[in-house]
Amino acid sequence: MRVLVIEDEDRIAGAIKSALEQHNFAVDLVHDSDSGLSAAVDPDYDLIILDLMMPGSIEGIELCRKVREYGVHTPVLMLTAKGEIDDKITGLESGADDYLTKPFSMKELIVRVQVLLRRNPKTIGPDIKLDDLEVNVESFAVRRSGKEIKLSAREIKLLVYLLHNKGQTLSKNKIISHVWDGDSLIMPNTVEVYIGYLRKKIDKSFPGRPPLIHTVHGFGYRIGKSNV
């Protein structure tokens, strides 16, 4: 899952990024409202964490309002040092989905993020199932045919991203942007290597079951019951 964090305080932004990455989110950081607006109108993000007060030509309230005017419905969690009811109402009326007052615990932030993602029609909740494959995105437990499968953190991020987009063909570049935070140093063949790791553990280890991970030659990869 890919999260955009728009926060001008480096310490807070870094702490949020670290906490999200520990829960297998890909995170992009932006530190001013103008760059934030340019990034936030990209509908490819799964969630936006937005500070109310930041440098730039507009404040967080107006940024959120403009994102909604552009027709982007990505869930928005608004952060602010203000705790008055009127401020919260204004934030929610601008299009924010939830509101978190500073200072806050990272544990609470993660819980709120998970709740918002469950509400989002793009996501499928904490338990994802495909055929006899089961994944819990909170405990990172993976099973097929009732058998536990051990995956690395990166393999889990890749599998969850594929599952959240099951039936869709995902290009290598799109996978990199969600699973490796768009790291420009990651080469497309790295995706091939990790797809190979997943295939070995998810498909080849279960020869009596239909393969779930498929290559769409010239386009990318897709997860589903068959190539049809």
Side-chain angles (χ1 to χ4, degrees), residues 1-2 26 44 154-155 157-163 165 168-183 186-195 198 213-216 219-223:
M1 306 296 287
R2 189 179 177 203
D44 206 29
R154 189 72 65 183
E155 290 165 355
K157 288 179 73 171
L158 176 55
L159 177 60
V160 168
Y161 180 57
L162 291 171
L163 286 169
N165 295 276
Q168 299 181 41
T169 299
L170 303 171
S171 69
K172 293 177 182 177
N173 286 337
K174 196 166 187 178
I175 290 171
I176 289 171
S177 72
H178 281 76
V179 179
W180 280 271
D181 301 344
D183 190 339
I186 297 298
M187 302 300 292
N189 65 348
T190 303
V191 178
E192 296 175 19
V193 169
Y194 274 85
I195 288 288
L198 278 187
I213 300 171
H214 308 285
T215 300
V216 182
F219 295 95
Y221 301 97
R222 180 176 55 80
I223 196 166

mmCIF file of all heavy atoms in Angstrom, residues 1-2 26 44 154-155 157-163 165 168-183 186-195 198 213-216 219-223:
data_model
loop_
_atom_site.group_PDB
_atom_site.id
_atom_site.type_symbol
_atom_site.label_atom_id
_atom_site.label_comp_id
_atom_site.label_asym_id
_atom_site.label_seq_id
_atom_site.Cartn_x
_atom_site.Cartn_y
_atom_site.Cartn_z
ATOM 1 N N MET A 1 0.841 -1.185 0.000
ATOM 2 C CA MET A 1 0.000 0.000 0.000
ATOM 3 C C MET A 1 0.885 1.247 0.000
ATOM 4 O O MET A 1 1.900 1.304 0.693
ATOM 5 C CB MET A 1 -0.900 0.015 1.234
ATOM 6 C CG MET A 1 -1.728 -1.254 1.382
ATOM 7 S SD MET A 1 -2.878 -1.470 0.031
ATOM 8 C CE MET A 1 -4.082 -0.224 0.440
ATOM 9 N N ARG A 2 0.465 2.265 -0.753
ATOM 10 C CA ARG A 2 1.287 3.458 -0.946
ATOM 11 C C ARG A 2 0.643 4.658 -0.251
ATOM 12 O O ARG A 2 -0.519 4.975 -0.498
ATOM 13 C CB ARG A 2 1.433 3.728 -2.435
ATOM 14 C CG ARG A 2 2.439 4.814 -2.792
ATOM 15 C CD ARG A 2 2.496 4.954 -4.296
ATOM 16 N NE ARG A 2 3.388 6.026 -4.721
ATOM 17 C CZ ARG A 2 3.302 6.644 -5.892
ATOM 18 N NH1 ARG A 2 2.348 6.302 -6.745
ATOM 19 N NH2 ARG A 2 4.129 7.602 -6.207
ATOM 20 N N ALA A 26 4.524 1.518 1.600
ATOM 21 C CA ALA A 26 5.459 2.336 0.830
ATOM 22 C C ALA A 26 5.076 3.787 1.085
ATOM 23 O O ALA A 26 3.897 4.138 1.052
ATOM 24 C CB ALA A 26 5.355 2.017 -0.657
ATOM 25 N N ASP A 44 -3.278 7.286 -7.562
ATOM 26 C CA ASP A 44 -2.630 6.003 -7.318
ATOM 27 C C ASP A 44 -2.246 5.801 -5.862
ATOM 28 O O ASP A 44 -1.868 4.711 -5.470
ATOM 29 C CB ASP A 44 -1.390 5.881 -8.211
ATOM 30 C CG ASP A 44 -1.041 4.428 -8.509
ATOM 31 O OD1 ASP A 44 -1.960 3.596 -8.527
ATOM 32 O OD2 ASP A 44 0.145 4.134 -8.719
ATOM 33 N N ARG A 154 9.695 -7.682 2.324
ATOM 34 C CA ARG A 154 9.506 -7.197 0.952
ATOM 35 C C ARG A 154 8.576 -8.110 0.163
ATOM 36 O O ARG A 154 7.746 -7.654 -0.630
ATOM 37 C CB ARG A 154 10.854 -7.081 0.247
ATOM 38 C CG ARG A 154 10.795 -6.378 -1.102
ATOM 39 C CD ARG A 154 10.566 -4.897 -0.944
ATOM 40 N NE ARG A 154 11.692 -4.266 -0.279
ATOM 41 C CZ ARG A 154 11.726 -2.971 0.040
ATOM 42 N NH1 ARG A 154 10.699 -2.192 -0.244
ATOM 43 N NH2 ARG A 154 12.777 -2.455 0.658
ATOM 44 N N GLU A 155 8.690 -9.405 0.380
ATOM 45 C CA GLU A 155 7.807 -10.348 -0.305
ATOM 46 C C GLU A 155 6.355 -10.149 0.133
ATOM 47 O O GLU A 155 5.436 -10.230 -0.694
ATOM 48 C CB GLU A 155 8.257 -11.781 -0.022
ATOM 49 C CG GLU A 155 9.567 -12.150 -0.693
ATOM 50 C CD GLU A 155 10.191 -13.421 -0.127
ATOM 51 O OE1 GLU A 155 9.660 -13.984 0.860
ATOM 52 O OE2 GLU A 155 11.223 -13.840 -0.665
ATOM 53 N N LYS A 157 5.057 -7.276 1.207
ATOM 54 C CA LYS A 157 4.597 -6.030 0.581
ATOM 55 C C LYS A 157 4.201 -6.272 -0.871
ATOM 56 O O LYS A 157 3.173 -5.773 -1.340
ATOM 57 C CB LYS A 157 5.698 -4.966 0.642
ATOM 58 C CG LYS A 157 5.932 -4.403 2.029
ATOM 59 C CD LYS A 157 7.049 -3.383 2.050
ATOM 60 C CE LYS A 157 6.653 -2.074 1.412
ATOM 61 N NZ LYS A 157 7.666 -1.018 1.622
ATOM 62 N N LEU A 158 4.997 -7.044 -1.580
ATOM 63 C CA LEU A 158 4.696 -7.342 -2.974
ATOM 64 C C LEU A 158 3.422 -8.165 -3.090
ATOM 65 O O LEU A 158 2.541 -7.858 -3.916
ATOM 66 C CB LEU A 158 5.874 -8.085 -3.608
ATOM 67 C CG LEU A 158 5.700 -8.577 -5.046
ATOM 68 C CD1 LEU A 158 5.315 -7.433 -5.978
ATOM 69 C CD2 LEU A 158 6.973 -9.267 -5.531
ATOM 70 N N LEU A 159 3.286 -9.189 -2.267
ATOM 71 C CA LEU A 159 2.098 -10.040 -2.330
ATOM 72 C C LEU A 159 0.833 -9.252 -1.996
ATOM 73 O O LEU A 159 -0.189 -9.373 -2.693
ATOM 74 C CB LEU A 159 2.255 -11.215 -1.368
ATOM 75 C CG LEU A 159 1.050 -12.175 -1.273
ATOM 76 C CD1 LEU A 159 0.739 -12.802 -2.635
ATOM 77 C CD2 LEU A 159 1.315 -13.253 -0.221
ATOM 78 N N VAL A 160 0.889 -8.431 -0.949
ATOM 79 C CA VAL A 160 -0.286 -7.648 -0.560
ATOM 80 C C VAL A 160 -0.659 -6.665 -1.659
ATOM 81 O O VAL A 160 -1.847 -6.482 -1.972
ATOM 82 C CB VAL A 160 -0.027 -6.924 0.776
ATOM 83 C CG1 VAL A 160 -1.117 -5.881 1.056
ATOM 84 C CG2 VAL A 160 0.036 -7.925 1.921
ATOM 85 N N TYR A 161 0.338 -6.052 -2.291
ATOM 86 C CA TYR A 161 0.032 -5.116 -3.378
ATOM 87 C C TYR A 161 -0.625 -5.840 -4.554
ATOM 88 O O TYR A 161 -1.606 -5.358 -5.132
ATOM 89 C CB TYR A 161 1.303 -4.398 -3.841
ATOM 90 C CG TYR A 161 1.042 -3.420 -4.957
ATOM 91 C CD1 TYR A 161 0.122 -2.392 -4.798
ATOM 92 C CD2 TYR A 161 1.698 -3.534 -6.177
ATOM 93 C CE1 TYR A 161 -0.134 -1.492 -5.828
ATOM 94 C CE2 TYR A 161 1.448 -2.640 -7.204
ATOM 95 C CZ TYR A 161 0.529 -1.622 -7.023
ATOM 96 O OH TYR A 161 0.267 -0.745 -8.040
ATOM 97 N N LEU A 162 -0.122 -7.005 -4.897
ATOM 98 C CA LEU A 162 -0.748 -7.789 -5.960
ATOM 99 C C LEU A 162 -2.191 -8.148 -5.596
ATOM 100 O O LEU A 162 -3.105 -8.032 -6.425
ATOM 101 C CB LEU A 162 0.052 -9.060 -6.218
ATOM 102 C CG LEU A 162 1.435 -8.908 -6.861
ATOM 103 C CD1 LEU A 162 2.175 -10.251 -6.831
ATOM 104 C CD2 LEU A 162 1.330 -8.397 -8.289
ATOM 105 N N LEU A 163 -2.395 -8.554 -4.348
ATOM 106 C CA LEU A 163 -3.729 -8.986 -3.921
ATOM 107 C C LEU A 163 -4.720 -7.830 -3.868
ATOM 108 O O LEU A 163 -5.905 -8.001 -4.191
ATOM 109 C CB LEU A 163 -3.650 -9.666 -2.558
ATOM 110 C CG LEU A 163 -3.047 -11.069 -2.555
ATOM 111 C CD1 LEU A 163 -2.764 -11.536 -1.132
ATOM 112 C CD2 LEU A 163 -3.979 -12.055 -3.268
ATOM 113 N N ASN A 165 -4.811 -5.582 -5.837
ATOM 114 C CA ASN A 165 -5.113 -5.275 -7.236
ATOM 115 C C ASN A 165 -5.342 -6.552 -8.034
ATOM 116 O O ASN A 165 -5.004 -6.618 -9.215
ATOM 117 C CB ASN A 165 -3.967 -4.461 -7.844
ATOM 118 C CG ASN A 165 -3.825 -3.104 -7.208
ATOM 119 O OD1 ASN A 165 -4.501 -2.160 -7.582
ATOM 120 N ND2 ASN A 165 -2.945 -3.001 -6.220
ATOM 121 N N GLN A 168 -5.799 -7.373 -11.957
ATOM 122 C CA GLN A 168 -5.232 -6.286 -12.754
ATOM 123 C C GLN A 168 -3.782 -6.595 -13.116
ATOM 124 O O GLN A 168 -3.049 -7.161 -12.304
ATOM 125 C CB GLN A 168 -5.275 -4.969 -11.983
ATOM 126 C CG GLN A 168 -6.660 -4.502 -11.604
ATOM 127 C CD GLN A 168 -6.616 -3.181 -10.874
ATOM 128 O OE1 GLN A 168 -5.858 -2.272 -11.228
ATOM 129 N NE2 GLN A 168 -7.423 -3.051 -9.842
ATOM 130 N N THR A 169 -3.386 -6.197 -14.307
ATOM 131 C CA THR A 169 -1.994 -6.352 -14.715
ATOM 132 C C THR A 169 -1.211 -5.134 -14.255
ATOM 133 O O THR A 169 -1.574 -4.001 -14.568
ATOM 134 C CB THR A 169 -1.884 -6.500 -16.237
ATOM 135 O OG1 THR A 169 -2.606 -7.666 -16.647
ATOM 136 C CG2 THR A 169 -0.431 -6.639 -16.668
ATOM 137 N N LEU A 170 -0.149 -5.362 -13.487
ATOM 138 C CA LEU A 170 0.646 -4.284 -12.905
ATOM 139 C C LEU A 170 2.024 -4.252 -13.548
ATOM 140 O O LEU A 170 2.720 -5.269 -13.594
ATOM 141 C CB LEU A 170 0.786 -4.499 -11.397
ATOM 142 C CG LEU A 170 -0.537 -4.596 -10.622
ATOM 143 C CD1 LEU A 170 -0.279 -5.037 -9.185
ATOM 144 C CD2 LEU A 170 -1.273 -3.269 -10.642
ATOM 145 N N SER A 171 2.418 -3.093 -14.050
ATOM 146 C CA SER A 171 3.729 -2.959 -14.675
ATOM 147 C C SER A 171 4.827 -3.002 -13.616
ATOM 148 O O SER A 171 4.585 -2.780 -12.423
ATOM 149 C CB SER A 171 3.824 -1.634 -15.434
ATOM 150 O OG SER A 171 3.830 -0.544 -14.523
ATOM 151 N N LYS A 172 6.051 -3.266 -14.054
ATOM 152 C CA LYS A 172 7.180 -3.294 -13.128
ATOM 153 C C LYS A 172 7.383 -1.933 -12.466
ATOM 154 O O LYS A 172 7.664 -1.852 -11.270
ATOM 155 C CB LYS A 172 8.453 -3.729 -13.856
ATOM 156 C CG LYS A 172 8.429 -5.177 -14.329
ATOM 157 C CD LYS A 172 9.688 -5.518 -15.101
ATOM 158 C CE LYS A 172 9.638 -6.944 -15.625
ATOM 159 N NZ LYS A 172 10.838 -7.272 -16.439
ATOM 160 N N ASN A 173 7.232 -0.848 -13.245
ATOM 161 C CA ASN A 173 7.421 0.484 -12.682
ATOM 162 C C ASN A 173 6.375 0.792 -11.616
ATOM 163 O O ASN A 173 6.679 1.415 -10.596
ATOM 164 C CB ASN A 173 7.374 1.543 -13.786
ATOM 165 C CG ASN A 173 8.621 1.547 -14.640
ATOM 166 O OD1 ASN A 173 9.680 1.085 -14.209
ATOM 167 N ND2 ASN A 173 8.516 2.060 -15.852
ATOM 168 N N LYS A 174 5.159 0.365 -11.853
ATOM 169 C CA LYS A 174 4.106 0.607 -10.863
ATOM 170 C C LYS A 174 4.371 -0.200 -9.601
ATOM 171 O O LYS A 174 4.164 0.282 -8.478
ATOM 172 C CB LYS A 174 2.746 0.246 -11.455
ATOM 173 C CG LYS A 174 1.567 0.814 -10.676
ATOM 174 C CD LYS A 174 0.290 0.726 -11.479
ATOM 175 C CE LYS A 174 -0.846 1.445 -10.771
ATOM 176 N NZ LYS A 174 -2.101 1.413 -11.561
ATOM 177 N N ILE A 175 4.833 -1.415 -9.763
ATOM 178 C CA ILE A 175 5.173 -2.243 -8.605
ATOM 179 C C ILE A 175 6.310 -1.599 -7.809
ATOM 180 O O ILE A 175 6.257 -1.527 -6.579
ATOM 181 C CB ILE A 175 5.556 -3.669 -9.051
ATOM 182 C CG1 ILE A 175 4.300 -4.401 -9.562
ATOM 183 C CG2 ILE A 175 6.187 -4.451 -7.900
ATOM 184 C CD1 ILE A 175 4.583 -5.732 -10.217
ATOM 185 N N ILE A 176 7.322 -1.087 -8.493
ATOM 186 C CA ILE A 176 8.436 -0.426 -7.818
ATOM 187 C C ILE A 176 7.948 0.763 -7.007
ATOM 188 O O ILE A 176 8.372 0.974 -5.866
ATOM 189 C CB ILE A 176 9.517 0.003 -8.836
ATOM 190 C CG1 ILE A 176 10.245 -1.221 -9.390
ATOM 191 C CG2 ILE A 176 10.522 0.970 -8.198
ATOM 192 C CD1 ILE A 176 11.160 -0.923 -10.551
ATOM 193 N N SER A 177 7.029 1.562 -7.568
ATOM 194 C CA SER A 177 6.563 2.763 -6.874
ATOM 195 C C SER A 177 5.796 2.432 -5.608
ATOM 196 O O SER A 177 5.774 3.222 -4.660
ATOM 197 C CB SER A 177 5.697 3.609 -7.810
ATOM 198 O OG SER A 177 4.441 3.012 -8.042
ATOM 199 N N HIS A 178 5.164 1.255 -5.547
ATOM 200 C CA HIS A 178 4.376 0.879 -4.375
ATOM 201 C C HIS A 178 5.145 0.007 -3.392
ATOM 202 O O HIS A 178 4.912 0.078 -2.186
ATOM 203 C CB HIS A 178 3.105 0.136 -4.803
ATOM 204 C CG HIS A 178 2.022 1.044 -5.285
ATOM 205 N ND1 HIS A 178 2.054 1.626 -6.521
ATOM 206 C CD2 HIS A 178 0.891 1.479 -4.683
ATOM 207 C CE1 HIS A 178 0.966 2.378 -6.680
ATOM 208 N NE2 HIS A 178 0.254 2.307 -5.569
ATOM 209 N N VAL A 179 6.026 -0.808 -3.892
ATOM 210 C CA VAL A 179 6.696 -1.800 -3.034
ATOM 211 C C VAL A 179 8.102 -1.355 -2.637
ATOM 212 O O VAL A 179 8.594 -1.727 -1.576
ATOM 213 C CB VAL A 179 6.731 -3.175 -3.745
ATOM 214 C CG1 VAL A 179 7.426 -4.218 -2.894
ATOM 215 C CG2 VAL A 179 5.308 -3.621 -4.077
ATOM 216 N N TRP A 180 8.729 -0.528 -3.468
ATOM 217 C CA TRP A 180 10.072 -0.013 -3.163
ATOM 218 C C TRP A 180 10.078 1.501 -3.026
ATOM 219 O O TRP A 180 11.100 2.146 -3.197
ATOM 220 C CB TRP A 180 11.069 -0.427 -4.242
ATOM 221 C CG TRP A 180 11.565 -1.837 -4.097
ATOM 222 C CD1 TRP A 180 12.660 -2.247 -3.378
ATOM 223 C CD2 TRP A 180 11.009 -3.030 -4.674
ATOM 224 N NE1 TRP A 180 12.806 -3.595 -3.475
ATOM 225 C CE2 TRP A 180 11.810 -4.121 -4.268
ATOM 226 C CE3 TRP A 180 9.904 -3.276 -5.485
ATOM 227 C CZ2 TRP A 180 11.546 -5.420 -4.651
ATOM 228 C CZ3 TRP A 180 9.626 -4.573 -5.872
ATOM 229 C CH2 TRP A 180 10.439 -5.633 -5.458
ATOM 230 N N ASP A 181 8.941 2.122 -2.749
ATOM 231 C CA ASP A 181 8.827 3.582 -2.576
ATOM 232 C C ASP A 181 9.301 4.350 -3.809
ATOM 233 O O ASP A 181 9.772 5.489 -3.689
ATOM 234 C CB ASP A 181 9.633 4.064 -1.356
ATOM 235 C CG ASP A 181 9.188 3.403 -0.064
ATOM 236 O OD1 ASP A 181 8.095 2.816 -0.051
ATOM 237 O OD2 ASP A 181 9.919 3.487 0.920
ATOM 238 N N GLY A 182 9.215 3.743 -4.981
ATOM 239 C CA GLY A 182 9.637 4.431 -6.186
ATOM 240 C C GLY A 182 11.132 4.668 -6.259
ATOM 241 O O GLY A 182 11.596 5.573 -6.949
ATOM 242 N N ASP A 183 11.909 3.886 -5.540
ATOM 243 C CA ASP A 183 13.364 4.043 -5.490
ATOM 244 C C ASP A 183 13.952 3.946 -6.892
ATOM 245 O O ASP A 183 13.845 2.912 -7.555
ATOM 246 C CB ASP A 183 13.959 2.954 -4.590
ATOM 247 C CG ASP A 183 15.434 3.180 -4.283
ATOM 248 O OD1 ASP A 183 16.085 3.920 -5.046
ATOM 249 O OD2 ASP A 183 15.911 2.615 -3.292
ATOM 250 N N ILE A 186 16.251 1.008 -7.910
ATOM 251 C CA ILE A 186 15.719 -0.339 -8.099
ATOM 252 C C ILE A 186 15.504 -0.591 -9.594
ATOM 253 O O ILE A 186 14.826 0.172 -10.276
ATOM 254 C CB ILE A 186 14.384 -0.517 -7.345
ATOM 255 C CG1 ILE A 186 14.611 -0.349 -5.845
ATOM 256 C CG2 ILE A 186 13.776 -1.885 -7.636
ATOM 257 C CD1 ILE A 186 15.545 -1.360 -5.234
ATOM 258 N N MET A 187 16.094 -1.656 -10.107
ATOM 259 C CA MET A 187 15.971 -1.990 -11.515
ATOM 260 C C MET A 187 14.781 -2.909 -11.740
ATOM 261 O O MET A 187 14.391 -3.676 -10.842
ATOM 262 C CB MET A 187 17.254 -2.681 -11.998
ATOM 263 C CG MET A 187 18.506 -1.836 -11.807
ATOM 264 S SD MET A 187 18.413 -0.264 -12.713
ATOM 265 C CE MET A 187 18.490 -0.887 -14.403
ATOM 266 N N PRO A 188 14.183 -2.838 -12.944
ATOM 267 C CA PRO A 188 13.033 -3.696 -13.227
ATOM 268 C C PRO A 188 13.281 -5.180 -13.001
ATOM 269 O O PRO A 188 12.379 -5.915 -12.609
ATOM 270 C CB PRO A 188 12.748 -3.399 -14.705
ATOM 271 C CG PRO A 188 13.220 -1.999 -14.902
ATOM 272 C CD PRO A 188 14.447 -1.887 -14.039
ATOM 273 N N ASN A 189 14.533 -5.642 -13.210
ATOM 274 C CA ASN A 189 14.784 -7.074 -13.012
ATOM 275 C C ASN A 189 14.715 -7.472 -11.537
ATOM 276 O O ASN A 189 14.585 -8.656 -11.215
ATOM 277 C CB ASN A 189 16.112 -7.500 -13.640
ATOM 278 C CG ASN A 189 17.320 -6.869 -12.982
ATOM 279 O OD1 ASN A 189 17.189 -5.949 -12.189
ATOM 280 N ND2 ASN A 189 18.498 -7.362 -13.334
ATOM 281 N N THR A 190 14.783 -6.467 -10.629
ATOM 282 C CA THR A 190 14.586 -6.760 -9.210
ATOM 283 C C THR A 190 13.166 -7.257 -8.972
ATOM 284 O O THR A 190 12.930 -8.158 -8.166
ATOM 285 C CB THR A 190 14.854 -5.509 -8.344
ATOM 286 O OG1 THR A 190 16.180 -5.049 -8.591
ATOM 287 C CG2 THR A 190 14.679 -5.816 -6.866
ATOM 288 N N VAL A 191 12.211 -6.665 -9.684
ATOM 289 C CA VAL A 191 10.820 -7.115 -9.585
ATOM 290 C C VAL A 191 10.722 -8.565 -10.055
ATOM 291 O O VAL A 191 10.061 -9.395 -9.415
ATOM 292 C CB VAL A 191 9.889 -6.215 -10.415
ATOM 293 C CG1 VAL A 191 8.443 -6.732 -10.341
ATOM 294 C CG2 VAL A 191 9.947 -4.773 -9.924
ATOM 295 N N GLU A 192 11.398 -8.895 -11.155
ATOM 296 C CA GLU A 192 11.387 -10.266 -11.658
ATOM 297 C C GLU A 192 11.912 -11.238 -10.607
ATOM 298 O O GLU A 192 11.358 -12.325 -10.417
ATOM 299 C CB GLU A 192 12.250 -10.363 -12.929
ATOM 300 C CG GLU A 192 11.748 -9.543 -14.100
ATOM 301 C CD GLU A 192 12.721 -9.592 -15.267
ATOM 302 O OE1 GLU A 192 13.559 -10.524 -15.293
ATOM 303 O OE2 GLU A 192 12.655 -8.709 -16.137
ATOM 304 N N VAL A 193 12.986 -10.833 -9.923
ATOM 305 C CA VAL A 193 13.585 -11.699 -8.906
ATOM 306 C C VAL A 193 12.590 -11.962 -7.783
ATOM 307 O O VAL A 193 12.395 -13.115 -7.360
ATOM 308 C CB VAL A 193 14.877 -11.066 -8.351
ATOM 309 C CG1 VAL A 193 15.359 -11.824 -7.123
ATOM 310 C CG2 VAL A 193 15.965 -11.043 -9.418
ATOM 311 N N TYR A 194 11.920 -10.915 -7.308
ATOM 312 C CA TYR A 194 10.987 -11.088 -6.181
ATOM 313 C C TYR A 194 9.706 -11.805 -6.600
ATOM 314 O O TYR A 194 9.122 -12.541 -5.798
ATOM 315 C CB TYR A 194 10.691 -9.741 -5.525
ATOM 316 C CG TYR A 194 11.728 -9.392 -4.489
ATOM 317 C CD1 TYR A 194 12.914 -8.765 -4.856
ATOM 318 C CD2 TYR A 194 11.554 -9.723 -3.149
ATOM 319 C CE1 TYR A 194 13.893 -8.469 -3.920
ATOM 320 C CE2 TYR A 194 12.517 -9.436 -2.202
ATOM 321 C CZ TYR A 194 13.690 -8.808 -2.593
ATOM 322 O OH TYR A 194 14.653 -8.525 -1.650
ATOM 323 N N ILE A 195 9.287 -11.603 -7.831
ATOM 324 C CA ILE A 195 8.164 -12.392 -8.340
ATOM 325 C C ILE A 195 8.552 -13.867 -8.339
ATOM 326 O O ILE A 195 7.755 -14.747 -7.988
ATOM 327 C CB ILE A 195 7.760 -11.939 -9.758
ATOM 328 C CG1 ILE A 195 7.056 -10.572 -9.707
ATOM 329 C CG2 ILE A 195 6.867 -12.984 -10.425
ATOM 330 C CD1 ILE A 195 5.661 -10.586 -9.122
ATOM 331 N N LEU A 198 8.271 -15.230 -4.830
ATOM 332 C CA LEU A 198 6.874 -15.489 -4.472
ATOM 333 C C LEU A 198 6.343 -16.732 -5.161
ATOM 334 O O LEU A 198 5.654 -17.551 -4.547
ATOM 335 C CB LEU A 198 6.001 -14.283 -4.834
ATOM 336 C CG LEU A 198 5.952 -13.112 -3.861
ATOM 337 C CD1 LEU A 198 4.916 -12.099 -4.322
ATOM 338 C CD2 LEU A 198 5.635 -13.570 -2.447
ATOM 339 N N ILE A 213 0.127 -16.626 -9.517
ATOM 340 C CA ILE A 213 0.887 -15.482 -10.023
ATOM 341 C C ILE A 213 1.218 -15.706 -11.489
ATOM 342 O O ILE A 213 1.776 -16.740 -11.863
ATOM 343 C CB ILE A 213 2.180 -15.290 -9.203
ATOM 344 C CG1 ILE A 213 1.833 -15.044 -7.723
ATOM 345 C CG2 ILE A 213 2.988 -14.115 -9.751
ATOM 346 C CD1 ILE A 213 3.035 -15.062 -6.809
ATOM 347 N N HIS A 214 0.851 -14.736 -12.321
ATOM 348 C CA HIS A 214 0.985 -14.900 -13.774
ATOM 349 C C HIS A 214 1.740 -13.728 -14.397
ATOM 350 O O HIS A 214 1.596 -12.588 -13.961
ATOM 351 C CB HIS A 214 -0.389 -14.996 -14.433
ATOM 352 C CG HIS A 214 -1.268 -16.034 -13.812
ATOM 353 N ND1 HIS A 214 -1.105 -17.378 -14.025
ATOM 354 C CD2 HIS A 214 -2.308 -15.924 -12.946
ATOM 355 C CE1 HIS A 214 -2.005 -18.060 -13.344
ATOM 356 N NE2 HIS A 214 -2.748 -17.194 -12.675
ATOM 357 N N THR A 215 2.544 -14.045 -15.401
ATOM 358 C CA THR A 215 3.224 -13.030 -16.197
ATOM 359 C C THR A 215 2.368 -12.681 -17.396
ATOM 360 O O THR A 215 1.894 -13.570 -18.110
ATOM 361 C CB THR A 215 4.587 -13.545 -16.689
ATOM 362 O OG1 THR A 215 5.408 -13.869 -15.556
ATOM 363 C CG2 THR A 215 5.296 -12.485 -17.534
ATOM 364 N N VAL A 216 2.141 -11.393 -17.597
ATOM 365 C CA VAL A 216 1.463 -10.912 -18.805
ATOM 366 C C VAL A 216 2.568 -10.308 -19.668
ATOM 367 O O VAL A 216 3.010 -9.177 -19.437
ATOM 368 C CB VAL A 216 0.382 -9.868 -18.469
ATOM 369 C CG1 VAL A 216 -0.338 -9.430 -19.735
ATOM 370 C CG2 VAL A 216 -0.612 -10.438 -17.452
ATOM 371 N N PHE A 219 3.764 -6.599 -20.464
ATOM 372 C CA PHE A 219 2.985 -5.660 -19.659
ATOM 373 C C PHE A 219 3.331 -5.709 -18.179
ATOM 374 O O PHE A 219 3.434 -4.682 -17.522
ATOM 375 C CB PHE A 219 1.483 -5.908 -19.855
ATOM 376 C CG PHE A 219 1.011 -5.631 -21.244
ATOM 377 C CD1 PHE A 219 0.919 -6.660 -22.180
ATOM 378 C CD2 PHE A 219 0.679 -4.343 -21.648
ATOM 379 C CE1 PHE A 219 0.490 -6.418 -23.472
ATOM 380 C CE2 PHE A 219 0.262 -4.086 -22.934
ATOM 381 C CZ PHE A 219 0.170 -5.124 -23.855
ATOM 382 N N GLY A 220 3.462 -6.905 -17.589
ATOM 383 C CA GLY A 220 3.749 -6.970 -16.165
ATOM 384 C C GLY A 220 3.256 -8.260 -15.548
ATOM 385 O O GLY A 220 3.368 -9.333 -16.156
ATOM 386 N N TYR A 221 2.676 -8.146 -14.361
ATOM 387 C CA TYR A 221 2.263 -9.343 -13.593
ATOM 388 C C TYR A 221 0.844 -9.159 -13.059
ATOM 389 O O TYR A 221 0.381 -8.043 -12.823
ATOM 390 C CB TYR A 221 3.239 -9.572 -12.441
ATOM 391 C CG TYR A 221 4.658 -9.761 -12.898
ATOM 392 C CD1 TYR A 221 5.559 -8.680 -12.903
ATOM 393 C CD2 TYR A 221 5.099 -10.992 -13.367
ATOM 394 C CE1 TYR A 221 6.857 -8.852 -13.342
ATOM 395 C CE2 TYR A 221 6.396 -11.166 -13.826
ATOM 396 C CZ TYR A 221 7.270 -10.093 -13.806
ATOM 397 O OH TYR A 221 8.553 -10.253 -14.262
ATOM 398 N N ARG A 222 0.209 -10.296 -12.841
ATOM 399 C CA ARG A 222 -1.150 -10.298 -12.326
ATOM 400 C C ARG A 222 -1.327 -11.499 -11.411
ATOM 401 O O ARG A 222 -0.739 -12.552 -11.622
ATOM 402 C CB ARG A 222 -2.157 -10.404 -13.491
ATOM 403 C CG ARG A 222 -3.618 -10.427 -13.066
ATOM 404 C CD ARG A 222 -4.523 -10.426 -14.308
ATOM 405 N NE ARG A 222 -4.195 -11.519 -15.210
ATOM 406 C CZ ARG A 222 -4.593 -12.778 -15.033
ATOM 407 N NH1 ARG A 222 -5.325 -13.093 -13.995
ATOM 408 N NH2 ARG A 222 -4.282 -13.714 -15.917
ATOM 409 N N ILE A 223 -2.125 -11.305 -10.364
ATOM 410 C CA ILE A 223 -2.437 -12.422 -9.479
ATOM 411 C C ILE A 223 -3.901 -12.782 -9.659
ATOM 412 O O ILE A 223 -4.777 -11.929 -9.730
ATOM 413 C CB ILE A 223 -2.104 -12.092 -8.010
ATOM 414 C CG1 ILE A 223 -2.074 -13.392 -7.182
ATOM 415 C CG2 ILE A 223 -3.051 -11.074 -7.411
ATOM 416 C CD1 ILE A 223 -1.429 -13.227 -5.802
#
